[in-house]
């Protein structure tokens, strides 16, 4: 009997693996990027989630294999945010809305545990764990959601939701019923996102409001509650920053693959010239470089805070007069801490990722090529390599925007 069951499950997995190739949804998109994931993080990063995914898909088709559900009075939700730090921050808006409309317990399954802990903990009723088990365990939850540029309902229990959280039941039922009108059924992720951005530009949506999913979710602003660890406030003070006027900048971006650097970085030589001019114009201001441990140091910085905990980075950003960066996760983090930024936009679109309080700088006539080809993050369409658009944003322009924000912020702080 054991051999029969084992053989049956293996056969199901093999059949499901074949079916996944034809899947037109998010699963196909994940499989299409498996080679990049393997190159960046090794085979284990592909095999473990793939096995979990196949188990989940088998359970989708064979209900008898699903685990029993919960019996208490809370709605139990599995939530998977995809992408980088900025995406985790934006997706947290959905978690906050779920908590507002239902008495729930949410497990956030994260591919980047550091991002997950920094954004989603500590929140009452929220646990953070590794993504590896999401697909295999999601059927034990009353609701399983996956967030990217769309909110995917992976599975749900209508009976329990209607009994415990009628308002949430209506939202999920509406999303499932109207899925064909809100989702773009294109297998290639990069092209699907490009089409999505074009839709957003027409309707006036941004990276936050696109998640309303046709009015199912209520997203009024671009702000979440960002938890702050008081222990790291003391470290920030010990570094001598609490009583100093300083600004921060970042020269780095998420590694999407093992080799190469994303082209959305502003040129290193431009940063060096900018720092030199800032020292001349504001000699008493400290220039602090922040970012991951893999970031290259920029000559001219007074202090390097690289490879440190995101908890410390929060406090450093919160005290900064202005943050200078390309479009990325630290800009989204700064926005939650009420720190204004000067952002040099290259391939990514301002209408999706810009914040009104920031100085969003973009080159005239050459920008926003994100999604126009598969390798957009690493290869410029014009040059075949470096980003021509970012080279057109000169240090003098960035300096002017920085000084304007610094003067406004310093005046407000004195008041």
């Amino acid at each position: 009997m054991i051999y029969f069951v084992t053989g049956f499950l293996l056969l199901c997995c093999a059949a499901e693996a074949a079916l996944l190739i034809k899947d037109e949804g998010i699963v196909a998109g994940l499989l299409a990027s498996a080679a990049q994931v393997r190159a960046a993080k090794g085979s284990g990063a592909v095999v473990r989630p793939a096995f979990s995914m196949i188990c989940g898909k088998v359970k989708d088709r064979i209900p008898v294999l699903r685990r029993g559900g919960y019996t208490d009075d809370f709605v139990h939700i599995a939530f998977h945010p995809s992408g980088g730090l900025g995406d985790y921050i934006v997706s947290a808006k959905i978690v906050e809305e779920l908590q507002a409309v239902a008495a729930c317990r949410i497990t956030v399954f994260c591919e980047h545990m550091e991002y997950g802990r920094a954004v989603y903990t500590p929140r009452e009723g929220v646990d953070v764990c590794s993504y590896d088990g999401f697909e295999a365990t999601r059927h034990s939850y009353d609701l399983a959601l996956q967030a990217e540029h769309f909110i995917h309902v992976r599975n749900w229990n209508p009976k329990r939701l209607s009994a415990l959280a009628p308002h949430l039941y209506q939202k999920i039922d509406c999303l499932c019923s109207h899925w064909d009108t809100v989702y773009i059924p294109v297998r290639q992720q990069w092209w699907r996102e490009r089409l999505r951005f074009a839709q957003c530009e027409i309707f006036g949506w941004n990276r936050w409001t696109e998640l309303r999913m046709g009015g199912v979710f209520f997203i009024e602003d671009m702000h979440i509650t960002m938890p702050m660890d008081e222990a790291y406030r003391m470290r920030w003070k010990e570094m001598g920053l609490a009583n100093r006027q300083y600004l921060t900048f970042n020269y780095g971006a998420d590694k999407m693959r093992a080799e190469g650097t994303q082209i959305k970085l502003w040129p290193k030589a431009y940063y060096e010239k900018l720092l030199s001019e800032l020292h001349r114009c504001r000699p008493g201001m400290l220039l602090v470089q922040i970012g991951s441990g893999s970031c290259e140091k920029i000559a001219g910085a007074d202090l390097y805070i690289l490879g440190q905990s995101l908890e410390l980075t929060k406090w450093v950003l919160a005290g900064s007069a202005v943050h200078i960066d390309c479009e990325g996760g630290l800009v989204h983090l700064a926005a939650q801490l009420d720190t204004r930024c000067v952002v040099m936009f290259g391939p990514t679109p301002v209408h999706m990722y810009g914040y009104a309080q920031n100085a969003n700088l973009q080159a005239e006539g050459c920008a926003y090529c994100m999604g126009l080809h598969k390798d957009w993050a690493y290869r410029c369409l014009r040059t075949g390599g470096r980003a021509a658009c970012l080279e057109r944003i000169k240090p003098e322009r960035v300096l002017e925007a920085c000084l304007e924000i610094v003067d406004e912020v310093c005046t407000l702080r004195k008041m």
Side-chain angles (χ1 to χ4, degrees):
M1 183 63 180
I2 294 177
Y3 294 111
F4 173 77
V5 172
T6 303
F8 176 70
L9 289 175
L10 289 174
L11 181 63
C12 289
C13 288
E16 195 60 46
L19 287 170
L20 285 176
I21 297 174
K22 298 181 179 180
D23 193 299
E24 296 292 336
I26 191 172
V27 177
L30 291 171
L31 288 177
S33 63
Q36 285 189 353
V37 175
R38 180 179 180 275
K41 301 179 181 179
S43 299
V46 176
V47 173
R48 289 190 301 270
F51 179 77
S52 179
M53 185 181 297
I54 290 172
C55 289
K57 295 290 283 184
V58 169
K59 291 176 182 178
D60 278 338
R61 300 177 188 275
I62 307 175
V64 73
L65 298 178
R66 301 174 190 172
R67 294 182 182 178
Y70 293 89
T71 58
D72 57 22
D73 292 332
F74 290 100
V75 176
H76 292 264
I77 302 172
F79 186 79
H80 169 224
S82 62
L85 175 59
D87 299 297
Y88 274 49
I89 291 171
V90 175
S91 297
K93 194 71 171 178
I94 301 298
V95 169
E96 291 186 350
E97 178 158 341
L98 292 171
Q99 291 183 307
V101 300
C104 57
R105 295 289 183 266
I106 302 176
T107 304
V108 182
F109 291 84
C110 301
E111 295 168 75
H112 303 281
M113 287 297 291
E114 183 185 14
Y115 298 165
R117 294 191 184 102
V119 176
Y120 294 96
T121 60
R123 294 175 186 268
E124 186 177 353
V126 176
D127 293 318
V128 174
C129 64
S130 172
Y131 166 72
D132 290 352
F134 174 73
E135 292 288 347
T137 64
R138 61 181 170 84
H139 283 286
S140 65
Y141 290 83
D142 301 316
L143 174 65
L145 299 176
Q146 198 157 3
E148 38 124 11
H149 291 280
F150 302 89
I151 304 299
H152 298 256
V153 179
R154 300 304 308 280
N155 57 263
W156 67 306
N157 186 332
K159 184 177 180 180
R160 268 184 58 87
L161 255 64
S162 63
L164 298 177
H167 190 190
L168 180 58
Y169 167 84
Q170 291 173 1
K171 287 177 174 289
I172 302 304
D173 183 59
C174 180
L175 180 56
C176 293
S177 301
H178 296 87
W179 181 250
D180 291 341
T181 66
V182 295
Y183 184 69
I184 301 174
V186 175
R187 174 177 294 186
Q188 295 87 351
Q189 179 182 351
W190 51 275
W191 184 235
R192 183 173 67 249
E193 290 180 354
R194 179 68 188 199
L195 295 175
R196 179 61 167 172
F197 295 163
Q199 283 185 342
C200 291
E201 191 168 21
I202 290 172
F203 290 108
W205 301 333
N206 57 41
R207 182 64 183 89
W208 294 72
T209 55
E210 69 168 339
L211 296 183
R212 290 174 180 167
M213 301 302 289
V216 170
F217 295 102
F218 180 75
I219 298 174
E220 189 177 23
D221 55 37
M222 303 167 69
H223 187 78
I224 62 168
T225 300
M226 180 58 65
M228 302 283 282
D229 190 333
E230 285 292 328
Y232 286 90
R233 179 176 183 167
M234 296 305 300
R235 287 189 56 184
W236 170 68
K237 287 185 174 181
E238 290 167 0
M239 298 173 76
L241 294 176
N243 299 315
R244 288 293 303 270
Q245 194 177 90
Y246 67 92
L247 62 78
T248 55
F249 69 93
N250 170 44
Y251 181 66
D254 287 336
K255 290 187 73 68
M256 297 168 63
R257 61 190 188 192
E259 298 180 357
T261 302
Q262 289 197 61
I263 61 171
K264 68 179 182 178
L265 294 185
W266 199 46
K268 179 183 175 183
Y270 286 11
Y271 264 115
E272 292 173 345
K273 184 175 181 180
L274 173 66
L275 298 188
S276 176
E277 288 298 305
L278 283 169
H279 276 303
R280 181 182 64 82
C281 296
R282 295 293 185 275
M285 176 165 281
L286 205 65
L287 310 183
V288 182
Q289 182 177 355
I290 61 175
S292 69
S294 62
C295 290
E296 184 178 357
K297 290 184 177 180
I298 301 296
D302 299 303
L303 180 63
Y304 300 96
I305 306 177
L306 302 174
Q308 297 296 314
S309 165
L310 275 174
E311 297 304 325
L312 176 60
T313 301
K314 290 177 187 178
W315 287 104
V316 175
L317 268 177
S320 177
V322 65
H323 177 66
I324 309 164
D325 209 334
C326 65
E327 184 280 312
L330 290 182
V331 173
H332 291 278
L333 182 59
Q336 308 313 307
L337 303 171
D338 296 325
T339 296
R340 296 172 63 188
C341 303
V342 175
V343 188
M344 291 76 80
F345 276 84
T348 49
V350 173
H351 77 270
M352 288 296 296
Y353 296 99
Y355 290 84
Q357 69 271 23
N358 293 342
N360 300 307
L361 309 182
Q362 192 173 44
E364 293 292 333
C366 178
Y368 175 29
C369 59
M370 180 178 180
L372 283 181
H373 64 110
K374 185 177 182 179
D375 207 28
W376 65 268
Y378 289 89
R379 180 171 59 83
C380 172
L381 276 175
R382 285 181 178 268
T383 68
R386 68 186 189 281
C389 55
L390 284 164
E391 293 185 346
R392 297 186 181 187
I393 304 175
K394 301 301 183 182
E396 294 78 11
R397 185 181 174 191
V398 177
L399 176 65
E400 182 181 358
C402 285
L403 294 179
E404 182 178 345
I405 292 178
V406 165
D407 290 343
E408 290 179 7
V409 170
C410 290
T411 299
L412 287 173
R413 288 181 177 177
K414 286 180 181 178
M415 293 172 61

